[in-house]
Amino acid sequence: DWNLTLRIDLTSVTDDTGLLMTVHMWYDTEEPYDGCVVYASGNNASWHQLTPREGYDGTIDGSYGNPLDGVEAFLGDCGGWVSRSFDVSAYRGGMIYVLFRFVSDTSVNSYYGWYIDDVYVNATGAVENLPPVAVISAPDNASEYNTGDSIYFDGTESYDPDGTIVSYEWVSDID
């Protein structure tokens, strides 16, 4: 059980502004027996689990001694650095304590764990889900295409201002 607590001063935010906390992280855990969970408190004593806008990966299995049996968490290998966003508007006008809790069972320990990089809170106005931004590129080496030619598009520069794009889908009505 490893804990990291961060204190963020939100006392200057007193209007109805929405607040979104974004956390850049990378994790590799033994799914579903090890997990990463984020909690918040206004007094550093009573803790409430925060749910990311993107959702957690699944539920911790306490079969091998993990004390958070049945708790939703980040599990497995996220595949690289990802961003997760949490609504922390309920803590405006005060202090927020954020607890990053990594909990493991008593078994296998060959996974890397949980790494946390940038953590920041943005005033968002009304908290809403912002749409992703599609950035599409085609090969630069051809400006003309003939019937029957294959055209390959690349959407890897696309991004979601609220978090991580989960998948891409191309839809065309051209036969």
Side-chain angles (χ1 to χ4, degrees), residues 42-77:
N43 60 11
N44 202 21
S46 300
W47 296 96
H48 305 283
Q49 184 175 3
L50 292 177
T51 300
R53 296 174 84 179
E54 303 82 7
Y56 282 107
D57 300 316
T59 304
I60 294 174
D61 181 338
S63 298
Y64 296 98
N66 190 317
L68 296 184
D69 185 34
V71 173
E72 288 198 52
F74 299 118
L75 305 169
D77 184 351

PDB file of all heavy atoms in Angstrom, residues 42-77:
ATOM      1  N   GLY A  42     -11.392  17.470   1.714  1.00  0.00           N
ATOM      2  CA  GLY A  42     -11.297  18.893   2.006  1.00  0.00           C
ATOM      3  C   GLY A  42     -10.602  19.167   3.318  1.00  0.00           C
ATOM      4  O   GLY A  42     -10.246  20.308   3.625  1.00  0.00           O
ATOM      5  N   ASN A  43     -10.394  18.105   4.132  1.00  0.00           N
ATOM      6  CA  ASN A  43      -9.802  18.299   5.452  1.00  0.00           C
ATOM      7  C   ASN A  43      -8.635  17.342   5.750  1.00  0.00           C
ATOM      8  O   ASN A  43      -8.168  17.291   6.875  1.00  0.00           O
ATOM      9  CB  ASN A  43     -10.883  18.137   6.526  1.00  0.00           C
ATOM     10  CG  ASN A  43     -11.522  16.763   6.499  1.00  0.00           C
ATOM     11  OD1 ASN A  43     -11.050  15.841   5.834  1.00  0.00           O
ATOM     12  ND2 ASN A  43     -12.624  16.624   7.227  1.00  0.00           N
ATOM     13  N   ASN A  44      -8.209  16.579   4.772  1.00  0.00           N
ATOM     14  CA  ASN A  44      -7.106  15.628   4.918  1.00  0.00           C
ATOM     15  C   ASN A  44      -7.440  14.519   5.917  1.00  0.00           C
ATOM     16  O   ASN A  44      -6.558  13.920   6.507  1.00  0.00           O
ATOM     17  CB  ASN A  44      -5.806  16.336   5.328  1.00  0.00           C
ATOM     18  CG  ASN A  44      -4.572  15.523   4.974  1.00  0.00           C
ATOM     19  OD1 ASN A  44      -4.603  14.650   4.118  1.00  0.00           O
ATOM     20  ND2 ASN A  44      -3.468  15.818   5.650  1.00  0.00           N
ATOM     21  N   ALA A  45      -8.750  14.260   6.087  1.00  0.00           N
ATOM     22  CA  ALA A  45      -9.167  13.221   7.025  1.00  0.00           C
ATOM     23  C   ALA A  45     -10.280  12.343   6.432  1.00  0.00           C
ATOM     24  O   ALA A  45     -10.197  11.128   6.472  1.00  0.00           O
ATOM     25  CB  ALA A  45      -9.637  13.844   8.337  1.00  0.00           C
ATOM     26  N   SER A  46     -11.320  12.945   5.905  1.00  0.00           N
ATOM     27  CA  SER A  46     -12.430  12.203   5.290  1.00  0.00           C
ATOM     28  C   SER A  46     -12.192  12.124   3.791  1.00  0.00           C
ATOM     29  O   SER A  46     -12.211  13.147   3.110  1.00  0.00           O
ATOM     30  CB  SER A  46     -13.766  12.916   5.546  1.00  0.00           C
ATOM     31  OG  SER A  46     -14.011  13.025   6.918  1.00  0.00           O
ATOM     32  N   TRP A  47     -11.977  10.917   3.291  1.00  0.00           N
ATOM     33  CA  TRP A  47     -11.598  10.730   1.897  1.00  0.00           C
ATOM     34  C   TRP A  47     -12.754  10.179   1.075  1.00  0.00           C
ATOM     35  O   TRP A  47     -13.502   9.324   1.539  1.00  0.00           O
ATOM     36  CB  TRP A  47     -10.401   9.786   1.795  1.00  0.00           C
ATOM     37  CG  TRP A  47      -9.190  10.369   2.453  1.00  0.00           C
ATOM     38  CD1 TRP A  47      -8.756  10.130   3.726  1.00  0.00           C
ATOM     39  CD2 TRP A  47      -8.286  11.312   1.880  1.00  0.00           C
ATOM     40  NE1 TRP A  47      -7.622  10.874   3.977  1.00  0.00           N
ATOM     41  CE2 TRP A  47      -7.311  11.607   2.855  1.00  0.00           C
ATOM     42  CE3 TRP A  47      -8.199  11.931   0.640  1.00  0.00           C
ATOM     43  CZ2 TRP A  47      -6.268  12.477   2.626  1.00  0.00           C
ATOM     44  CZ3 TRP A  47      -7.152  12.800   0.407  1.00  0.00           C
ATOM     45  CH2 TRP A  47      -6.202  13.080   1.395  1.00  0.00           C
ATOM     46  N   HIS A  48     -12.868  10.680  -0.165  1.00  0.00           N
ATOM     47  CA  HIS A  48     -13.893  10.234  -1.104  1.00  0.00           C
ATOM     48  C   HIS A  48     -13.205   9.888  -2.420  1.00  0.00           C
ATOM     49  O   HIS A  48     -12.374  10.661  -2.913  1.00  0.00           O
ATOM     50  CB  HIS A  48     -14.944  11.327  -1.331  1.00  0.00           C
ATOM     51  CG  HIS A  48     -15.555  11.814  -0.065  1.00  0.00           C
ATOM     52  ND1 HIS A  48     -16.507  11.104   0.612  1.00  0.00           N
ATOM     53  CD2 HIS A  48     -15.318  12.921   0.673  1.00  0.00           C
ATOM     54  CE1 HIS A  48     -16.842  11.764   1.717  1.00  0.00           C
ATOM     55  NE2 HIS A  48     -16.131  12.865   1.773  1.00  0.00           N
ATOM     56  N   GLN A  49     -13.557   8.739  -2.974  1.00  0.00           N
ATOM     57  CA  GLN A  49     -12.946   8.335  -4.235  1.00  0.00           C
ATOM     58  C   GLN A  49     -13.405   9.256  -5.354  1.00  0.00           C
ATOM     59  O   GLN A  49     -14.585   9.558  -5.488  1.00  0.00           O
ATOM     60  CB  GLN A  49     -13.301   6.889  -4.576  1.00  0.00           C
ATOM     61  CG  GLN A  49     -12.601   6.414  -5.837  1.00  0.00           C
ATOM     62  CD  GLN A  49     -12.856   4.937  -6.127  1.00  0.00           C
ATOM     63  OE1 GLN A  49     -13.600   4.263  -5.437  1.00  0.00           O
ATOM     64  NE2 GLN A  49     -12.210   4.443  -7.168  1.00  0.00           N
ATOM     65  N   LEU A  50     -12.441   9.739  -6.156  1.00  0.00           N
ATOM     66  CA  LEU A  50     -12.754  10.515  -7.348  1.00  0.00           C
ATOM     67  C   LEU A  50     -12.837   9.562  -8.536  1.00  0.00           C
ATOM     68  O   LEU A  50     -12.018   8.653  -8.665  1.00  0.00           O
ATOM     69  CB  LEU A  50     -11.665  11.552  -7.623  1.00  0.00           C
ATOM     70  CG  LEU A  50     -11.518  12.700  -6.635  1.00  0.00           C
ATOM     71  CD1 LEU A  50     -10.330  13.585  -7.029  1.00  0.00           C
ATOM     72  CD2 LEU A  50     -12.789  13.534  -6.587  1.00  0.00           C
ATOM     73  N   THR A  51     -13.819   9.781  -9.387  1.00  0.00           N
ATOM     74  CA  THR A  51     -13.955   8.962 -10.594  1.00  0.00           C
ATOM     75  C   THR A  51     -13.503   9.782 -11.786  1.00  0.00           C
ATOM     76  O   THR A  51     -14.009  10.882 -12.006  1.00  0.00           O
ATOM     77  CB  THR A  51     -15.410   8.518 -10.781  1.00  0.00           C
ATOM     78  OG1 THR A  51     -15.811   7.750  -9.642  1.00  0.00           O
ATOM     79  CG2 THR A  51     -15.562   7.669 -12.033  1.00  0.00           C
ATOM     80  N   PRO A  52     -12.554   9.268 -12.563  1.00  0.00           N
ATOM     81  CA  PRO A  52     -12.100  10.030 -13.734  1.00  0.00           C
ATOM     82  C   PRO A  52     -13.216  10.115 -14.779  1.00  0.00           C
ATOM     83  O   PRO A  52     -14.041   9.206 -14.893  1.00  0.00           O
ATOM     84  CB  PRO A  52     -10.916   9.204 -14.251  1.00  0.00           C
ATOM     85  CG  PRO A  52     -11.130   7.836 -13.722  1.00  0.00           C
ATOM     86  CD  PRO A  52     -11.876   7.982 -12.435  1.00  0.00           C
ATOM     87  N   ARG A  53     -13.224  11.203 -15.524  1.00  0.00           N
ATOM     88  CA  ARG A  53     -14.216  11.368 -16.580  1.00  0.00           C
ATOM     89  C   ARG A  53     -14.124  10.247 -17.596  1.00  0.00           C
ATOM     90  O   ARG A  53     -15.114   9.867 -18.207  1.00  0.00           O
ATOM     91  CB  ARG A  53     -14.031  12.721 -17.258  1.00  0.00           C
ATOM     92  CG  ARG A  53     -14.295  13.869 -16.290  1.00  0.00           C
ATOM     93  CD  ARG A  53     -13.979  15.183 -16.908  1.00  0.00           C
ATOM     94  NE  ARG A  53     -15.138  15.616 -17.679  1.00  0.00           N
ATOM     95  CZ  ARG A  53     -15.185  16.758 -18.339  1.00  0.00           C
ATOM     96  NH1 ARG A  53     -14.146  17.559 -18.322  1.00  0.00           N
ATOM     97  NH2 ARG A  53     -16.251  17.095 -19.014  1.00  0.00           N
ATOM     98  N   GLU A  54     -12.940   9.691 -17.770  1.00  0.00           N
ATOM     99  CA  GLU A  54     -12.729   8.600 -18.717  1.00  0.00           C
ATOM    100  C   GLU A  54     -13.073   7.249 -18.104  1.00  0.00           C
ATOM    101  O   GLU A  54     -13.070   6.233 -18.790  1.00  0.00           O
ATOM    102  CB  GLU A  54     -11.254   8.578 -19.171  1.00  0.00           C
ATOM    103  CG  GLU A  54     -10.777   9.864 -19.792  1.00  0.00           C
ATOM    104  CD  GLU A  54     -10.369  10.927 -18.765  1.00  0.00           C
ATOM    105  OE1 GLU A  54     -10.332  10.643 -17.549  1.00  0.00           O
ATOM    106  OE2 GLU A  54     -10.083  12.061 -19.182  1.00  0.00           O
ATOM    107  N   GLY A  55     -13.337   7.207 -16.807  1.00  0.00           N
ATOM    108  CA  GLY A  55     -13.650   5.972 -16.103  1.00  0.00           C
ATOM    109  C   GLY A  55     -12.398   5.226 -15.668  1.00  0.00           C
ATOM    110  O   GLY A  55     -11.299   5.470 -16.156  1.00  0.00           O
ATOM    111  N   TYR A  56     -12.574   4.335 -14.709  1.00  0.00           N
ATOM    112  CA  TYR A  56     -11.498   3.436 -14.292  1.00  0.00           C
ATOM    113  C   TYR A  56     -11.494   2.224 -15.216  1.00  0.00           C
ATOM    114  O   TYR A  56     -12.460   1.989 -15.952  1.00  0.00           O
ATOM    115  CB  TYR A  56     -11.688   2.994 -12.839  1.00  0.00           C
ATOM    116  CG  TYR A  56     -11.287   4.036 -11.815  1.00  0.00           C
ATOM    117  CD1 TYR A  56     -12.238   4.731 -11.084  1.00  0.00           C
ATOM    118  CD2 TYR A  56      -9.950   4.310 -11.567  1.00  0.00           C
ATOM    119  CE1 TYR A  56     -11.871   5.679 -10.134  1.00  0.00           C
ATOM    120  CE2 TYR A  56      -9.570   5.252 -10.621  1.00  0.00           C
ATOM    121  CZ  TYR A  56     -10.540   5.929  -9.910  1.00  0.00           C
ATOM    122  OH  TYR A  56     -10.162   6.865  -8.976  1.00  0.00           O
ATOM    123  N   ASP A  57     -10.441   1.413 -15.145  1.00  0.00           N
ATOM    124  CA  ASP A  57     -10.306   0.244 -16.019  1.00  0.00           C
ATOM    125  C   ASP A  57     -11.112  -0.959 -15.553  1.00  0.00           C
ATOM    126  O   ASP A  57     -11.471  -1.811 -16.357  1.00  0.00           O
ATOM    127  CB  ASP A  57      -8.834  -0.175 -16.115  1.00  0.00           C
ATOM    128  CG  ASP A  57      -7.967   0.925 -16.691  1.00  0.00           C
ATOM    129  OD1 ASP A  57      -8.376   1.541 -17.683  1.00  0.00           O
ATOM    130  OD2 ASP A  57      -6.879   1.163 -16.137  1.00  0.00           O
ATOM    131  N   GLY A  58     -11.349  -1.061 -14.274  1.00  0.00           N
ATOM    132  CA  GLY A  58     -12.052  -2.229 -13.752  1.00  0.00           C
ATOM    133  C   GLY A  58     -12.060  -2.219 -12.243  1.00  0.00           C
ATOM    134  O   GLY A  58     -11.845  -1.190 -11.612  1.00  0.00           O
ATOM    135  N   THR A  59     -12.301  -3.389 -11.667  1.00  0.00           N
ATOM    136  CA  THR A  59     -12.460  -3.536 -10.226  1.00  0.00           C
ATOM    137  C   THR A  59     -11.349  -4.420  -9.659  1.00  0.00           C
ATOM    138  O   THR A  59     -11.013  -5.452 -10.232  1.00  0.00           O
ATOM    139  CB  THR A  59     -13.835  -4.167  -9.927  1.00  0.00           C
ATOM    140  OG1 THR A  59     -14.846  -3.357 -10.526  1.00  0.00           O
ATOM    141  CG2 THR A  59     -14.091  -4.241  -8.446  1.00  0.00           C
ATOM    142  N   ILE A  60     -10.809  -4.012  -8.528  1.00  0.00           N
ATOM    143  CA  ILE A  60      -9.749  -4.771  -7.862  1.00  0.00           C
ATOM    144  C   ILE A  60     -10.318  -6.067  -7.289  1.00  0.00           C
ATOM    145  O   ILE A  60     -11.394  -6.082  -6.696  1.00  0.00           O
ATOM    146  CB  ILE A  60      -9.100  -3.937  -6.737  1.00  0.00           C
ATOM    147  CG1 ILE A  60      -8.357  -2.733  -7.330  1.00  0.00           C
ATOM    148  CG2 ILE A  60      -8.154  -4.791  -5.885  1.00  0.00           C
ATOM    149  CD1 ILE A  60      -7.802  -1.775  -6.302  1.00  0.00           C
ATOM    150  N   ASP A  61      -9.568  -7.151  -7.464  1.00  0.00           N
ATOM    151  CA  ASP A  61      -9.909  -8.455  -6.900  1.00  0.00           C
ATOM    152  C   ASP A  61      -9.044  -8.648  -5.664  1.00  0.00           C
ATOM    153  O   ASP A  61      -7.817  -8.673  -5.750  1.00  0.00           O
ATOM    154  CB  ASP A  61      -9.625  -9.543  -7.938  1.00  0.00           C
ATOM    155  CG  ASP A  61      -9.968 -10.935  -7.450  1.00  0.00           C
ATOM    156  OD1 ASP A  61     -10.027 -11.167  -6.222  1.00  0.00           O
ATOM    157  OD2 ASP A  61     -10.149 -11.814  -8.306  1.00  0.00           O
ATOM    158  N   GLY A  62      -9.671  -8.785  -4.508  1.00  0.00           N
ATOM    159  CA  GLY A  62      -8.943  -8.910  -3.251  1.00  0.00           C
ATOM    160  C   GLY A  62      -8.588 -10.329  -2.866  1.00  0.00           C
ATOM    161  O   GLY A  62      -8.221 -10.585  -1.714  1.00  0.00           O
ATOM    162  N   SER A  63      -8.666 -11.274  -3.802  1.00  0.00           N
ATOM    163  CA  SER A  63      -8.417 -12.693  -3.495  1.00  0.00           C
ATOM    164  C   SER A  63      -7.073 -12.961  -2.835  1.00  0.00           C
ATOM    165  O   SER A  63      -6.943 -13.892  -2.054  1.00  0.00           O
ATOM    166  CB  SER A  63      -8.484 -13.533  -4.778  1.00  0.00           C
ATOM    167  OG  SER A  63      -9.760 -13.450  -5.354  1.00  0.00           O
ATOM    168  N   TYR A  64      -6.059 -12.176  -3.159  1.00  0.00           N
ATOM    169  CA  TYR A  64      -4.717 -12.438  -2.628  1.00  0.00           C
ATOM    170  C   TYR A  64      -4.253 -11.360  -1.655  1.00  0.00           C
ATOM    171  O   TYR A  64      -3.081 -11.031  -1.576  1.00  0.00           O
ATOM    172  CB  TYR A  64      -3.715 -12.592  -3.776  1.00  0.00           C
ATOM    173  CG  TYR A  64      -4.020 -13.795  -4.627  1.00  0.00           C
ATOM    174  CD1 TYR A  64      -4.729 -13.648  -5.811  1.00  0.00           C
ATOM    175  CD2 TYR A  64      -3.635 -15.069  -4.230  1.00  0.00           C
ATOM    176  CE1 TYR A  64      -5.038 -14.745  -6.592  1.00  0.00           C
ATOM    177  CE2 TYR A  64      -3.942 -16.180  -5.001  1.00  0.00           C
ATOM    178  CZ  TYR A  64      -4.645 -16.011  -6.179  1.00  0.00           C
ATOM    179  OH  TYR A  64      -4.946 -17.104  -6.939  1.00  0.00           O
ATOM    180  N   GLY A  65      -5.191 -10.789  -0.926  1.00  0.00           N
ATOM    181  CA  GLY A  65      -4.820  -9.891   0.159  1.00  0.00           C
ATOM    182  C   GLY A  65      -4.905  -8.409  -0.133  1.00  0.00           C
ATOM    183  O   GLY A  65      -4.528  -7.602   0.698  1.00  0.00           O
ATOM    184  N   ASN A  66      -5.374  -8.007  -1.320  1.00  0.00           N
ATOM    185  CA  ASN A  66      -5.504  -6.573  -1.580  1.00  0.00           C
ATOM    186  C   ASN A  66      -6.661  -6.029  -0.740  1.00  0.00           C
ATOM    187  O   ASN A  66      -7.779  -6.518  -0.829  1.00  0.00           O
ATOM    188  CB  ASN A  66      -5.756  -6.321  -3.065  1.00  0.00           C
ATOM    189  CG  ASN A  66      -5.660  -4.850  -3.425  1.00  0.00           C
ATOM    190  OD1 ASN A  66      -6.169  -4.003  -2.714  1.00  0.00           O
ATOM    191  ND2 ASN A  66      -4.999  -4.560  -4.523  1.00  0.00           N
ATOM    192  N   PRO A  67      -6.421  -4.999   0.084  1.00  0.00           N
ATOM    193  CA  PRO A  67      -7.462  -4.485   0.979  1.00  0.00           C
ATOM    194  C   PRO A  67      -8.576  -3.709   0.270  1.00  0.00           C
ATOM    195  O   PRO A  67      -9.580  -3.389   0.902  1.00  0.00           O
ATOM    196  CB  PRO A  67      -6.683  -3.571   1.934  1.00  0.00           C
ATOM    197  CG  PRO A  67      -5.506  -3.126   1.133  1.00  0.00           C
ATOM    198  CD  PRO A  67      -5.158  -4.289   0.256  1.00  0.00           C
ATOM    199  N   LEU A  68      -8.415  -3.416  -1.014  1.00  0.00           N
ATOM    200  CA  LEU A  68      -9.439  -2.650  -1.738  1.00  0.00           C
ATOM    201  C   LEU A  68     -10.293  -3.548  -2.630  1.00  0.00           C
ATOM    202  O   LEU A  68     -10.679  -3.160  -3.734  1.00  0.00           O
ATOM    203  CB  LEU A  68      -8.783  -1.542  -2.564  1.00  0.00           C
ATOM    204  CG  LEU A  68      -8.055  -0.459  -1.775  1.00  0.00           C
ATOM    205  CD1 LEU A  68      -7.528   0.632  -2.705  1.00  0.00           C
ATOM    206  CD2 LEU A  68      -8.943   0.152  -0.706  1.00  0.00           C
ATOM    207  N   ASP A  69     -10.627  -4.720  -2.161  1.00  0.00           N
ATOM    208  CA  ASP A  69     -11.454  -5.662  -2.914  1.00  0.00           C
ATOM    209  C   ASP A  69     -12.757  -4.986  -3.358  1.00  0.00           C
ATOM    210  O   ASP A  69     -13.460  -4.378  -2.553  1.00  0.00           O
ATOM    211  CB  ASP A  69     -11.781  -6.880  -2.049  1.00  0.00           C
ATOM    212  CG  ASP A  69     -12.547  -7.945  -2.816  1.00  0.00           C
ATOM    213  OD1 ASP A  69     -12.303  -8.101  -4.029  1.00  0.00           O
ATOM    214  OD2 ASP A  69     -13.380  -8.630  -2.185  1.00  0.00           O
ATOM    215  N   GLY A  70     -13.036  -5.053  -4.655  1.00  0.00           N
ATOM    216  CA  GLY A  70     -14.278  -4.512  -5.195  1.00  0.00           C
ATOM    217  C   GLY A  70     -14.250  -3.028  -5.535  1.00  0.00           C
ATOM    218  O   GLY A  70     -15.243  -2.479  -6.012  1.00  0.00           O
ATOM    219  N   VAL A  71     -13.123  -2.357  -5.319  1.00  0.00           N
ATOM    220  CA  VAL A  71     -13.019  -0.921  -5.601  1.00  0.00           C
ATOM    221  C   VAL A  71     -12.594  -0.715  -7.056  1.00  0.00           C
ATOM    222  O   VAL A  71     -11.695  -1.392  -7.555  1.00  0.00           O
ATOM    223  CB  VAL A  71     -12.001  -0.253  -4.642  1.00  0.00           C
ATOM    224  CG1 VAL A  71     -11.747   1.199  -5.032  1.00  0.00           C
ATOM    225  CG2 VAL A  71     -12.497  -0.349  -3.211  1.00  0.00           C
ATOM    226  N   GLU A  72     -13.237   0.219  -7.742  1.00  0.00           N
ATOM    227  CA  GLU A  72     -12.835   0.547  -9.111  1.00  0.00           C
ATOM    228  C   GLU A  72     -11.471   1.211  -9.084  1.00  0.00           C
ATOM    229  O   GLU A  72     -11.171   2.007  -8.193  1.00  0.00           O
ATOM    230  CB  GLU A  72     -13.859   1.468  -9.759  1.00  0.00           C
ATOM    231  CG  GLU A  72     -15.159   0.751 -10.083  1.00  0.00           C
ATOM    232  CD  GLU A  72     -15.978   1.523 -11.084  1.00  0.00           C
ATOM    233  OE1 GLU A  72     -15.429   1.889 -12.147  1.00  0.00           O
ATOM    234  OE2 GLU A  72     -17.154   1.766 -10.792  1.00  0.00           O
ATOM    235  N   ALA A  73     -10.633   0.880 -10.097  1.00  0.00           N
ATOM    236  CA  ALA A  73      -9.251   1.370 -10.102  1.00  0.00           C
ATOM    237  C   ALA A  73      -8.679   1.345 -11.509  1.00  0.00           C
ATOM    238  O   ALA A  73      -9.258   0.757 -12.421  1.00  0.00           O
ATOM    239  CB  ALA A  73      -8.397   0.491  -9.181  1.00  0.00           C
ATOM    240  N   PHE A  74      -7.512   1.990 -11.649  1.00  0.00           N
ATOM    241  CA  PHE A  74      -6.714   1.839 -12.858  1.00  0.00           C
ATOM    242  C   PHE A  74      -5.996   0.502 -12.723  1.00  0.00           C
ATOM    243  O   PHE A  74      -5.330   0.252 -11.715  1.00  0.00           O
ATOM    244  CB  PHE A  74      -5.709   2.978 -13.008  1.00  0.00           C
ATOM    245  CG  PHE A  74      -6.350   4.341 -13.114  1.00  0.00           C
ATOM    246  CD1 PHE A  74      -6.097   5.309 -12.161  1.00  0.00           C
ATOM    247  CD2 PHE A  74      -7.201   4.648 -14.162  1.00  0.00           C
ATOM    248  CE1 PHE A  74      -6.674   6.568 -12.250  1.00  0.00           C
ATOM    249  CE2 PHE A  74      -7.791   5.895 -14.263  1.00  0.00           C
ATOM    250  CZ  PHE A  74      -7.524   6.855 -13.307  1.00  0.00           C
ATOM    251  N   LEU A  75      -6.113  -0.356 -13.741  1.00  0.00           N
ATOM    252  CA  LEU A  75      -5.574  -1.706 -13.680  1.00  0.00           C
ATOM    253  C   LEU A  75      -4.811  -2.041 -14.947  1.00  0.00           C
ATOM    254  O   LEU A  75      -5.114  -1.508 -16.014  1.00  0.00           O
ATOM    255  CB  LEU A  75      -6.706  -2.736 -13.545  1.00  0.00           C
ATOM    256  CG  LEU A  75      -7.701  -2.580 -12.410  1.00  0.00           C
ATOM    257  CD1 LEU A  75      -8.877  -3.515 -12.615  1.00  0.00           C
ATOM    258  CD2 LEU A  75      -7.030  -2.861 -11.081  1.00  0.00           C
ATOM    259  N   GLY A  76      -3.865  -2.964 -14.850  1.00  0.00           N
ATOM    260  CA  GLY A  76      -3.166  -3.466 -16.026  1.00  0.00           C
ATOM    261  C   GLY A  76      -2.140  -2.480 -16.552  1.00  0.00           C
ATOM    262  O   GLY A  76      -1.610  -1.653 -15.817  1.00  0.00           O
ATOM    263  N   ASP A  77      -1.884  -2.568 -17.847  1.00  0.00           N
ATOM    264  CA  ASP A  77      -0.895  -1.716 -18.511  1.00  0.00           C
ATOM    265  C   ASP A  77      -1.633  -0.694 -19.365  1.00  0.00           C
ATOM    266  O   ASP A  77      -2.346  -1.062 -20.298  1.00  0.00           O
ATOM    267  CB  ASP A  77       0.016  -2.578 -19.387  1.00  0.00           C
ATOM    268  CG  ASP A  77       1.141  -1.798 -20.034  1.00  0.00           C
ATOM    269  OD1 ASP A  77       1.145  -0.555 -19.967  1.00  0.00           O
ATOM    270  OD2 ASP A  77       2.026  -2.449 -20.625  1.00  0.00           O
TER     271      ASP A  77
END
